[in-house]
Amino acid sequence: MTRLRLRVARFAGAQRLGADVALAAVAVLGWLQLRQYRSPVTGADGLDPVLVLAPVAMTGAAALLVLRFLPLLARVVDPLARRARGLVLPLGGWQIGRRAARHAGPALVVTLALAVAALSSTALAILDRGDRDQAAFQVGADLRVEPGEGVAPEERRGAYEALPGAAAVTPVITSEGYVGQDAVAVTTVNTARGPVPALRGDLADAPVRDLVAPLGRGIPEHGLPVRGEGSLRELPLRVRMAASGGGDVVPVRLTVHFEDGDGLGRSSSVVVEEGRARSVPLKVGVRGGGVRILQIDLSMVGERVRRTYRLTVDRVPGLARAARWHDLRADAPDRHAAYCPGVRRERGASGEAPGPVLCQDTPGPGTLVDAVLRGPDVRLKYPAWSVRLGTDRAKGRPAAPALAGDALLDSGAIRVGDTVTVRRSAGGSARVRIVGRLAAVPGVPRDRPRLLADSRAMAAQWALSGALPEAEEAWWVGVRGADTGAAMAAVRADPRLGKAVDVPCARAELAADPLRRGARGALTLCLVLAPAFAVIAFALHTVVSARSREREFALLRALGVRRGQVAAYLWTEQLALAGVAAVLGTGLGAALASVIMPVVTVDAEGDPVFPSLVTQVPWVRVGVTAGVTAAVICAVVTVAARVLGRVDLTRVLRVGEEG
């Protein structure tokens, strides 16, 4: 008989172990399915039922596994309760330990209900933090402004610095190019005057502020610095031009290309006519310090005779050094073929000179240009009418520091520490040294590999290669205290400033997504209903348990146990059970939310969200939910214990005699 009992016990243990393994397998399989396929939304706007039910299966399986600890806890509680004085605690501990299996049902209900509540509360907190991180990443700073046509390019910095609360302002410039055969985008900002890019700290090798600070150091000399106090609105120039040949001389249009203190390119033009020296004002499309002259264009559109020009532009105030111009065309024209005065035929010359040709340049202090030129070859059907001159050469230039995004590093094209050459699609090249890593560049789409660099350093690289900086696509504005309400209102009140978006606006747009709204609504509903379900279910269990044990209570009353002690006995037993279930359910729900939410949360296109979700459990909110639920259960059980503890001793004992 003893062997048979041992065999039955072993068989029951094996059954429980098999059931536990099966439940664990269900939970793990559900998590693996979610991790692989991520979104339950299919490409045909349908739902994958397996992925929809996977979190439910994981929660149910985990709750059943957690309840395996209930008998163990009962064995621990029973000896402790026996040491207590009086009758209530020993009876309650003995009841829980002797009938742990009978209490498994209500304990499972409370555990599941509070697990759902904790999961919902944690999931909502994780989604709130995720929306805030995603909105900040999309904007790139406190405020992002896409400039309109109402404000002149040179006036934009001043207009955005005048916004209420503005503390730091920078343009955002994106250049498309290639590293070898791999496409890459270079996003640049003014790291000295702009806000720190809004990227979460765990998405970079070091604090973002420390990473971007060195990007603007060691900018090589380039162009012709123009010194001046305050804003430089005009440059007074003395110009004179003499031309050979017959017929009417077409005026030469002189276009000067500037670089401002943000690394942005601007240009301004004057018309130079043949004749005596005269003064003309050249409008400077740049505000603030750090103005440089990068290149000049000389255009002779409409000329009908190939002439020799002697052009002098001097007495330029603030010109820091003498200009030494050279032709920026890749195929240098043959000066002998253009009949430049005093030029002999050079070995290996192409023999072609279709456009204007720089024959001679004489640098001098305060002189912008003092050159002898030959005009365009008007015999050609489609002559080149202009020539562009520059002062810089790419040979020996240092590399500009830059940060690489993970998409570029993962492609294998570059690694941190490499020095590479970026060939810009619009012309020009830049030597770049990769000094750090970012998960992605904020404020711009994640549709391609990117580099982040300083706008002034990259402007120097483009200029040294004979190209011009590109225009900005947006402006970042850092606001004191991150309160962008007044700045947003100012931009909206003046449409000339452009279109602005801040982090709260971007967050509201994310929250308006139907998929996100549906998920939040479902989680909120679960958070409200699950604790109520736990209270109702446990109250019913308390009533049913007390009704079924009337004879037990009557016997205790017959032995001399007072009515208050019977109520306290029932109260202790039920609340101990509810408390254990509440603790287990709350911990289980928070853990499941931390595991499930980063896997199943996707954006509007069904792709994983970026930045990835931070699984931070709001213990205060979760604890308050569990505490309120436990308090309501306590109140319900207290009332039920007082009512159900009033046993009609005579009636119950007579029923026992009649049975």
PDB file of all heavy atoms in Angstrom, residues 609-645:
ATOM      1  N   VAL A 609      10.215  50.687 -33.922  1.00  0.00           N
ATOM      2  CA  VAL A 609      10.322  52.105 -33.616  1.00  0.00           C
ATOM      3  C   VAL A 609      11.775  52.460 -33.312  1.00  0.00           C
ATOM      4  O   VAL A 609      12.572  51.619 -32.869  1.00  0.00           O
ATOM      5  CB  VAL A 609       9.429  52.485 -32.415  1.00  0.00           C
ATOM      6  CG1 VAL A 609       7.978  52.262 -32.741  1.00  0.00           C
ATOM      7  CG2 VAL A 609       9.831  51.699 -31.167  1.00  0.00           C
ATOM      8  N   PHE A 610      12.104  53.714 -33.596  1.00  0.00           N
ATOM      9  CA  PHE A 610      13.427  54.225 -33.263  1.00  0.00           C
ATOM     10  C   PHE A 610      13.247  55.620 -32.677  1.00  0.00           C
ATOM     11  O   PHE A 610      12.499  56.427 -33.241  1.00  0.00           O
ATOM     12  CB  PHE A 610      14.327  54.296 -34.501  1.00  0.00           C
ATOM     13  CG  PHE A 610      15.755  54.671 -34.170  1.00  0.00           C
ATOM     14  CD1 PHE A 610      16.672  53.677 -33.876  1.00  0.00           C
ATOM     15  CD2 PHE A 610      16.147  55.992 -34.117  1.00  0.00           C
ATOM     16  CE1 PHE A 610      17.966  54.012 -33.544  1.00  0.00           C
ATOM     17  CE2 PHE A 610      17.438  56.339 -33.776  1.00  0.00           C
ATOM     18  CZ  PHE A 610      18.358  55.337 -33.495  1.00  0.00           C
ATOM     19  N   PRO A 611      13.929  55.897 -31.575  1.00  0.00           N
ATOM     20  CA  PRO A 611      14.777  55.022 -30.775  1.00  0.00           C
ATOM     21  C   PRO A 611      13.981  53.874 -30.140  1.00  0.00           C
ATOM     22  O   PRO A 611      12.782  53.998 -29.926  1.00  0.00           O
ATOM     23  CB  PRO A 611      15.325  55.950 -29.699  1.00  0.00           C
ATOM     24  CG  PRO A 611      15.150  57.330 -30.234  1.00  0.00           C
ATOM     25  CD  PRO A 611      13.901  57.279 -31.058  1.00  0.00           C
ATOM     26  N   SER A 612      14.684  52.796 -29.868  1.00  0.00           N
ATOM     27  CA  SER A 612      14.027  51.647 -29.255  1.00  0.00           C
ATOM     28  C   SER A 612      13.489  52.026 -27.882  1.00  0.00           C
ATOM     29  O   SER A 612      13.979  52.959 -27.228  1.00  0.00           O
ATOM     30  CB  SER A 612      15.025  50.494 -29.130  1.00  0.00           C
ATOM     31  OG  SER A 612      16.153  50.889 -28.369  1.00  0.00           O
ATOM     32  N   LEU A 613      12.469  51.296 -27.451  1.00  0.00           N
ATOM     33  CA  LEU A 613      11.798  51.625 -26.195  1.00  0.00           C
ATOM     34  C   LEU A 613      12.694  51.336 -24.996  1.00  0.00           C
ATOM     35  O   LEU A 613      13.422  50.337 -24.968  1.00  0.00           O
ATOM     36  CB  LEU A 613      10.505  50.832 -26.072  1.00  0.00           C
ATOM     37  CG  LEU A 613       9.439  51.106 -27.138  1.00  0.00           C
ATOM     38  CD1 LEU A 613       8.205  50.268 -26.862  1.00  0.00           C
ATOM     39  CD2 LEU A 613       9.069  52.576 -27.187  1.00  0.00           C
ATOM     40  N   VAL A 614      12.631  52.214 -24.027  1.00  0.00           N
ATOM     41  CA  VAL A 614      13.333  52.017 -22.753  1.00  0.00           C
ATOM     42  C   VAL A 614      12.366  51.354 -21.780  1.00  0.00           C
ATOM     43  O   VAL A 614      11.290  51.884 -21.506  1.00  0.00           O
ATOM     44  CB  VAL A 614      13.820  53.361 -22.185  1.00  0.00           C
ATOM     45  CG1 VAL A 614      14.441  53.164 -20.811  1.00  0.00           C
ATOM     46  CG2 VAL A 614      14.820  54.002 -23.128  1.00  0.00           C
ATOM     47  N   THR A 615      12.727  50.189 -21.295  1.00  0.00           N
ATOM     48  CA  THR A 615      11.836  49.427 -20.409  1.00  0.00           C
ATOM     49  C   THR A 615      12.068  49.859 -18.968  1.00  0.00           C
ATOM     50  O   THR A 615      12.786  49.221 -18.216  1.00  0.00           O
ATOM     51  CB  THR A 615      12.087  47.921 -20.577  1.00  0.00           C
ATOM     52  OG1 THR A 615      13.482  47.647 -20.343  1.00  0.00           O
ATOM     53  CG2 THR A 615      11.743  47.475 -21.981  1.00  0.00           C
ATOM     54  N   GLN A 616      11.453  50.957 -18.619  1.00  0.00           N
ATOM     55  CA  GLN A 616      11.536  51.491 -17.266  1.00  0.00           C
ATOM     56  C   GLN A 616      10.186  51.312 -16.593  1.00  0.00           C
ATOM     57  O   GLN A 616       9.188  51.899 -17.014  1.00  0.00           O
ATOM     58  CB  GLN A 616      11.938  52.966 -17.311  1.00  0.00           C
ATOM     59  CG  GLN A 616      12.145  53.577 -15.942  1.00  0.00           C
ATOM     60  CD  GLN A 616      12.639  55.001 -16.041  1.00  0.00           C
ATOM     61  OE1 GLN A 616      12.833  55.515 -17.131  1.00  0.00           O
ATOM     62  NE2 GLN A 616      12.825  55.643 -14.905  1.00  0.00           N
ATOM     63  N   VAL A 617      10.153  50.485 -15.567  1.00  0.00           N
ATOM     64  CA  VAL A 617       8.891  50.174 -14.892  1.00  0.00           C
ATOM     65  C   VAL A 617       8.507  51.325 -13.965  1.00  0.00           C
ATOM     66  O   VAL A 617       9.294  51.724 -13.099  1.00  0.00           O
ATOM     67  CB  VAL A 617       9.009  48.866 -14.088  1.00  0.00           C
ATOM     68  CG1 VAL A 617       7.689  48.555 -13.381  1.00  0.00           C
ATOM     69  CG2 VAL A 617       9.405  47.719 -15.004  1.00  0.00           C
ATOM     70  N   PRO A 618       7.295  51.867 -14.110  1.00  0.00           N
ATOM     71  CA  PRO A 618       6.837  52.931 -13.199  1.00  0.00           C
ATOM     72  C   PRO A 618       6.340  52.318 -11.893  1.00  0.00           C
ATOM     73  O   PRO A 618       5.127  52.138 -11.695  1.00  0.00           O
ATOM     74  CB  PRO A 618       5.712  53.595 -13.991  1.00  0.00           C
ATOM     75  CG  PRO A 618       5.148  52.502 -14.835  1.00  0.00           C
ATOM     76  CD  PRO A 618       6.296  51.591 -15.165  1.00  0.00           C
ATOM     77  N   TRP A 619       7.257  52.019 -11.004  1.00  0.00           N
ATOM     78  CA  TRP A 619       6.889  51.278  -9.809  1.00  0.00           C
ATOM     79  C   TRP A 619       5.870  52.027  -8.953  1.00  0.00           C
ATOM     80  O   TRP A 619       5.044  51.405  -8.273  1.00  0.00           O
ATOM     81  CB  TRP A 619       8.138  50.969  -8.993  1.00  0.00           C
ATOM     82  CG  TRP A 619       9.025  49.949  -9.637  1.00  0.00           C
ATOM     83  CD1 TRP A 619      10.275  50.129 -10.142  1.00  0.00           C
ATOM     84  CD2 TRP A 619       8.711  48.567  -9.863  1.00  0.00           C
ATOM     85  NE1 TRP A 619      10.756  48.953 -10.675  1.00  0.00           N
ATOM     86  CE2 TRP A 619       9.820  47.973 -10.504  1.00  0.00           C
ATOM     87  CE3 TRP A 619       7.596  47.774  -9.592  1.00  0.00           C
ATOM     88  CZ2 TRP A 619       9.847  46.633 -10.875  1.00  0.00           C
ATOM     89  CZ3 TRP A 619       7.619  46.437  -9.965  1.00  0.00           C
ATOM     90  CH2 TRP A 619       8.733  45.877 -10.591  1.00  0.00           C
ATOM     91  N   VAL A 620       5.938  53.346  -8.950  1.00  0.00           N
ATOM     92  CA  VAL A 620       4.965  54.096  -8.150  1.00  0.00           C
ATOM     93  C   VAL A 620       3.557  53.874  -8.689  1.00  0.00           C
ATOM     94  O   VAL A 620       2.622  53.565  -7.941  1.00  0.00           O
ATOM     95  CB  VAL A 620       5.324  55.600  -8.162  1.00  0.00           C
ATOM     96  CG1 VAL A 620       4.237  56.399  -7.452  1.00  0.00           C
ATOM     97  CG2 VAL A 620       6.676  55.824  -7.498  1.00  0.00           C
ATOM     98  N   ARG A 621       3.388  54.004 -10.011  1.00  0.00           N
ATOM     99  CA  ARG A 621       2.066  53.815 -10.608  1.00  0.00           C
ATOM    100  C   ARG A 621       1.598  52.374 -10.434  1.00  0.00           C
ATOM    101  O   ARG A 621       0.427  52.126 -10.080  1.00  0.00           O
ATOM    102  CB  ARG A 621       2.101  54.178 -12.089  1.00  0.00           C
ATOM    103  CG  ARG A 621       0.743  54.113 -12.768  1.00  0.00           C
ATOM    104  CD  ARG A 621       0.849  54.207 -14.276  1.00  0.00           C
ATOM    105  NE  ARG A 621       1.522  55.423 -14.715  1.00  0.00           N
ATOM    106  CZ  ARG A 621       1.717  55.725 -15.992  1.00  0.00           C
ATOM    107  NH1 ARG A 621       1.296  54.898 -16.950  1.00  0.00           N
ATOM    108  NH2 ARG A 621       2.335  56.833 -16.322  1.00  0.00           N
ATOM    109  N   VAL A 622       2.499  51.425 -10.686  1.00  0.00           N
ATOM    110  CA  VAL A 622       2.134  50.014 -10.545  1.00  0.00           C
ATOM    111  C   VAL A 622       1.796  49.698  -9.091  1.00  0.00           C
ATOM    112  O   VAL A 622       0.822  48.989  -8.799  1.00  0.00           O
ATOM    113  CB  VAL A 622       3.284  49.125 -11.058  1.00  0.00           C
ATOM    114  CG1 VAL A 622       3.024  47.662 -10.715  1.00  0.00           C
ATOM    115  CG2 VAL A 622       3.445  49.280 -12.565  1.00  0.00           C
ATOM    116  N   GLY A 623       2.610  50.227  -8.164  1.00  0.00           N
ATOM    117  CA  GLY A 623       2.356  49.972  -6.751  1.00  0.00           C
ATOM    118  C   GLY A 623       1.038  50.577  -6.285  1.00  0.00           C
ATOM    119  O   GLY A 623       0.315  49.975  -5.484  1.00  0.00           O
ATOM    120  N   VAL A 624       0.728  51.779  -6.785  1.00  0.00           N
ATOM    121  CA  VAL A 624      -0.541  52.410  -6.409  1.00  0.00           C
ATOM    122  C   VAL A 624      -1.715  51.588  -6.910  1.00  0.00           C
ATOM    123  O   VAL A 624      -2.708  51.377  -6.189  1.00  0.00           O
ATOM    124  CB  VAL A 624      -0.600  53.850  -6.967  1.00  0.00           C
ATOM    125  CG1 VAL A 624      -2.014  54.412  -6.859  1.00  0.00           C
ATOM    126  CG2 VAL A 624       0.380  54.735  -6.224  1.00  0.00           C
ATOM    127  N   THR A 625      -1.606  51.088  -8.164  1.00  0.00           N
ATOM    128  CA  THR A 625      -2.692  50.263  -8.703  1.00  0.00           C
ATOM    129  C   THR A 625      -2.899  49.009  -7.863  1.00  0.00           C
ATOM    130  O   THR A 625      -4.034  48.654  -7.493  1.00  0.00           O
ATOM    131  CB  THR A 625      -2.386  49.872 -10.155  1.00  0.00           C
ATOM    132  OG1 THR A 625      -2.212  51.053 -10.932  1.00  0.00           O
ATOM    133  CG2 THR A 625      -3.511  49.042 -10.741  1.00  0.00           C
ATOM    134  N   ALA A 626      -1.790  48.328  -7.542  1.00  0.00           N
ATOM    135  CA  ALA A 626      -1.897  47.114  -6.732  1.00  0.00           C
ATOM    136  C   ALA A 626      -2.392  47.441  -5.324  1.00  0.00           C
ATOM    137  O   ALA A 626      -3.208  46.700  -4.748  1.00  0.00           O
ATOM    138  CB  ALA A 626      -0.541  46.409  -6.677  1.00  0.00           C
ATOM    139  N   GLY A 627      -1.901  48.563  -4.760  1.00  0.00           N
ATOM    140  CA  GLY A 627      -2.308  48.930  -3.412  1.00  0.00           C
ATOM    141  C   GLY A 627      -3.787  49.276  -3.327  1.00  0.00           C
ATOM    142  O   GLY A 627      -4.476  48.874  -2.380  1.00  0.00           O
ATOM    143  N   VAL A 628      -4.286  50.030  -4.305  1.00  0.00           N
ATOM    144  CA  VAL A 628      -5.707  50.379  -4.305  1.00  0.00           C
ATOM    145  C   VAL A 628      -6.563  49.128  -4.454  1.00  0.00           C
ATOM    146  O   VAL A 628      -7.586  48.954  -3.763  1.00  0.00           O
ATOM    147  CB  VAL A 628      -6.007  51.384  -5.432  1.00  0.00           C
ATOM    148  CG1 VAL A 628      -7.509  51.567  -5.603  1.00  0.00           C
ATOM    149  CG2 VAL A 628      -5.341  52.716  -5.137  1.00  0.00           C
ATOM    150  N   THR A 629      -6.137  48.235  -5.356  1.00  0.00           N
ATOM    151  CA  THR A 629      -6.887  46.983  -5.540  1.00  0.00           C
ATOM    152  C   THR A 629      -6.898  46.171  -4.254  1.00  0.00           C
ATOM    153  O   THR A 629      -7.944  45.641  -3.834  1.00  0.00           O
ATOM    154  CB  THR A 629      -6.275  46.169  -6.682  1.00  0.00           C
ATOM    155  OG1 THR A 629      -6.227  46.969  -7.862  1.00  0.00           O
ATOM    156  CG2 THR A 629      -7.085  44.919  -6.955  1.00  0.00           C
ATOM    157  N   ALA A 630      -5.713  46.060  -3.605  1.00  0.00           N
ATOM    158  CA  ALA A 630      -5.642  45.297  -2.349  1.00  0.00           C
ATOM    159  C   ALA A 630      -6.487  45.951  -1.265  1.00  0.00           C
ATOM    160  O   ALA A 630      -7.136  45.264  -0.453  1.00  0.00           O
ATOM    161  CB  ALA A 630      -4.192  45.190  -1.899  1.00  0.00           C
ATOM    162  N   ALA A 631      -6.507  47.278  -1.237  1.00  0.00           N
ATOM    163  CA  ALA A 631      -7.307  47.971  -0.224  1.00  0.00           C
ATOM    164  C   ALA A 631      -8.793  47.723  -0.430  1.00  0.00           C
ATOM    165  O   ALA A 631      -9.544  47.505   0.533  1.00  0.00           O
ATOM    166  CB  ALA A 631      -7.008  49.472  -0.275  1.00  0.00           C
ATOM    167  N   VAL A 632      -9.237  47.750  -1.697  1.00  0.00           N
ATOM    168  CA  VAL A 632     -10.649  47.478  -1.970  1.00  0.00           C
ATOM    169  C   VAL A 632     -10.988  46.032  -1.599  1.00  0.00           C
ATOM    170  O   VAL A 632     -12.042  45.748  -1.003  1.00  0.00           O
ATOM    171  CB  VAL A 632     -10.976  47.762  -3.446  1.00  0.00           C
ATOM    172  CG1 VAL A 632     -12.414  47.364  -3.765  1.00  0.00           C
ATOM    173  CG2 VAL A 632     -10.763  49.239  -3.760  1.00  0.00           C
ATOM    174  N   ILE A 633     -10.086  45.105  -1.955  1.00  0.00           N
ATOM    175  CA  ILE A 633     -10.304  43.701  -1.572  1.00  0.00           C
ATOM    176  C   ILE A 633     -10.370  43.574  -0.052  1.00  0.00           C
ATOM    177  O   ILE A 633     -11.208  42.844   0.506  1.00  0.00           O
ATOM    178  CB  ILE A 633      -9.191  42.815  -2.158  1.00  0.00           C
ATOM    179  CG1 ILE A 633      -9.345  42.714  -3.678  1.00  0.00           C
ATOM    180  CG2 ILE A 633      -9.212  41.429  -1.531  1.00  0.00           C
ATOM    181  CD1 ILE A 633      -8.240  41.908  -4.343  1.00  0.00           C
ATOM    182  N   CYS A 634      -9.488  44.300   0.618  1.00  0.00           N
ATOM    183  CA  CYS A 634      -9.482  44.272   2.089  1.00  0.00           C
ATOM    184  C   CYS A 634     -10.815  44.752   2.650  1.00  0.00           C
ATOM    185  O   CYS A 634     -11.382  44.144   3.565  1.00  0.00           O
ATOM    186  CB  CYS A 634      -8.330  45.132   2.606  1.00  0.00           C
ATOM    187  SG  CYS A 634      -8.245  45.248   4.401  1.00  0.00           S
ATOM    188  N   ALA A 635     -11.327  45.831   2.082  1.00  0.00           N
ATOM    189  CA  ALA A 635     -12.607  46.351   2.563  1.00  0.00           C
ATOM    190  C   ALA A 635     -13.732  45.372   2.308  1.00  0.00           C
ATOM    191  O   ALA A 635     -14.588  45.132   3.187  1.00  0.00           O
ATOM    192  CB  ALA A 635     -12.892  47.687   1.867  1.00  0.00           C
ATOM    193  N   VAL A 636     -13.748  44.796   1.106  1.00  0.00           N
ATOM    194  CA  VAL A 636     -14.804  43.842   0.777  1.00  0.00           C
ATOM    195  C   VAL A 636     -14.724  42.622   1.678  1.00  0.00           C
ATOM    196  O   VAL A 636     -15.742  42.131   2.204  1.00  0.00           O
ATOM    197  CB  VAL A 636     -14.713  43.448  -0.710  1.00  0.00           C
ATOM    198  CG1 VAL A 636     -15.669  42.295  -1.022  1.00  0.00           C
ATOM    199  CG2 VAL A 636     -15.016  44.646  -1.602  1.00  0.00           C
ATOM    200  N   VAL A 637     -13.507  42.102   1.879  1.00  0.00           N
ATOM    201  CA  VAL A 637     -13.340  40.905   2.715  1.00  0.00           C
ATOM    202  C   VAL A 637     -13.690  41.216   4.165  1.00  0.00           C
ATOM    203  O   VAL A 637     -14.253  40.374   4.883  1.00  0.00           O
ATOM    204  CB  VAL A 637     -11.898  40.369   2.574  1.00  0.00           C
ATOM    205  CG1 VAL A 637     -11.633  39.277   3.604  1.00  0.00           C
ATOM    206  CG2 VAL A 637     -11.667  39.838   1.176  1.00  0.00           C
ATOM    207  N   THR A 638     -13.367  42.422   4.622  1.00  0.00           N
ATOM    208  CA  THR A 638     -13.696  42.796   6.003  1.00  0.00           C
ATOM    209  C   THR A 638     -15.206  42.774   6.230  1.00  0.00           C
ATOM    210  O   THR A 638     -15.700  42.211   7.223  1.00  0.00           O
ATOM    211  CB  THR A 638     -13.140  44.196   6.309  1.00  0.00           C
ATOM    212  OG1 THR A 638     -11.728  44.183   6.144  1.00  0.00           O
ATOM    213  CG2 THR A 638     -13.479  44.615   7.730  1.00  0.00           C
ATOM    214  N   VAL A 639     -15.928  43.376   5.288  1.00  0.00           N
ATOM    215  CA  VAL A 639     -17.392  43.376   5.411  1.00  0.00           C
ATOM    216  C   VAL A 639     -17.929  41.952   5.331  1.00  0.00           C
ATOM    217  O   VAL A 639     -18.798  41.546   6.131  1.00  0.00           O
ATOM    218  CB  VAL A 639     -18.010  44.261   4.315  1.00  0.00           C
ATOM    219  CG1 VAL A 639     -19.535  44.145   4.336  1.00  0.00           C
ATOM    220  CG2 VAL A 639     -17.588  45.705   4.501  1.00  0.00           C
ATOM    221  N   ALA A 640     -17.391  41.193   4.345  1.00  0.00           N
ATOM    222  CA  ALA A 640     -17.885  39.816   4.187  1.00  0.00           C
ATOM    223  C   ALA A 640     -17.564  38.974   5.413  1.00  0.00           C
ATOM    224  O   ALA A 640     -18.379  38.144   5.845  1.00  0.00           O
ATOM    225  CB  ALA A 640     -17.276  39.188   2.938  1.00  0.00           C
ATOM    226  N   ALA A 641     -16.371  39.165   5.993  1.00  0.00           N
ATOM    227  CA  ALA A 641     -15.990  38.367   7.163  1.00  0.00           C
ATOM    228  C   ALA A 641     -16.893  38.676   8.350  1.00  0.00           C
ATOM    229  O   ALA A 641     -17.286  37.769   9.110  1.00  0.00           O
ATOM    230  CB  ALA A 641     -14.527  38.639   7.511  1.00  0.00           C
ATOM    231  N   ARG A 642     -17.235  39.918   8.541  1.00  0.00           N
ATOM    232  CA  ARG A 642     -18.110  40.279   9.662  1.00  0.00           C
ATOM    233  C   ARG A 642     -19.508  39.688   9.476  1.00  0.00           C
ATOM    234  O   ARG A 642     -20.135  39.238  10.430  1.00  0.00           O
ATOM    235  CB  ARG A 642     -18.203  41.796   9.789  1.00  0.00           C
ATOM    236  CG  ARG A 642     -16.925  42.439  10.296  1.00  0.00           C
ATOM    237  CD  ARG A 642     -17.092  43.943  10.491  1.00  0.00           C
ATOM    238  NE  ARG A 642     -15.895  44.547  11.051  1.00  0.00           N
ATOM    239  CZ  ARG A 642     -15.597  44.587  12.348  1.00  0.00           C
ATOM    240  NH1 ARG A 642     -16.446  44.059  13.224  1.00  0.00           N
ATOM    241  NH2 ARG A 642     -14.490  45.140  12.763  1.00  0.00           N
ATOM    242  N   VAL A 643     -20.002  39.726   8.223  1.00  0.00           N
ATOM    243  CA  VAL A 643     -21.349  39.212   7.982  1.00  0.00           C
ATOM    244  C   VAL A 643     -21.368  37.695   8.034  1.00  0.00           C
ATOM    245  O   VAL A 643     -22.236  37.081   8.683  1.00  0.00           O
ATOM    246  CB  VAL A 643     -21.868  39.719   6.619  1.00  0.00           C
ATOM    247  CG1 VAL A 643     -23.203  39.055   6.279  1.00  0.00           C
ATOM    248  CG2 VAL A 643     -22.005  41.236   6.641  1.00  0.00           C
ATOM    249  N   LEU A 644     -20.385  37.071   7.343  1.00  0.00           N
ATOM    250  CA  LEU A 644     -20.395  35.615   7.246  1.00  0.00           C
ATOM    251  C   LEU A 644     -19.897  34.934   8.508  1.00  0.00           C
ATOM    252  O   LEU A 644     -20.088  33.727   8.685  1.00  0.00           O
ATOM    253  CB  LEU A 644     -19.534  35.182   6.052  1.00  0.00           C
ATOM    254  CG  LEU A 644     -20.010  35.694   4.683  1.00  0.00           C
ATOM    255  CD1 LEU A 644     -19.007  35.331   3.605  1.00  0.00           C
ATOM    256  CD2 LEU A 644     -21.377  35.114   4.349  1.00  0.00           C
ATOM    257  N   GLY A 645     -19.206  35.716   9.371  1.00  0.00           N
ATOM    258  CA  GLY A 645     -18.745  35.113  10.626  1.00  0.00           C
ATOM    259  C   GLY A 645     -19.869  34.912  11.631  1.00  0.00           C
ATOM    260  O   GLY A 645     -19.687  34.238  12.640  1.00  0.00           O
TER     261      GLY A 645
END
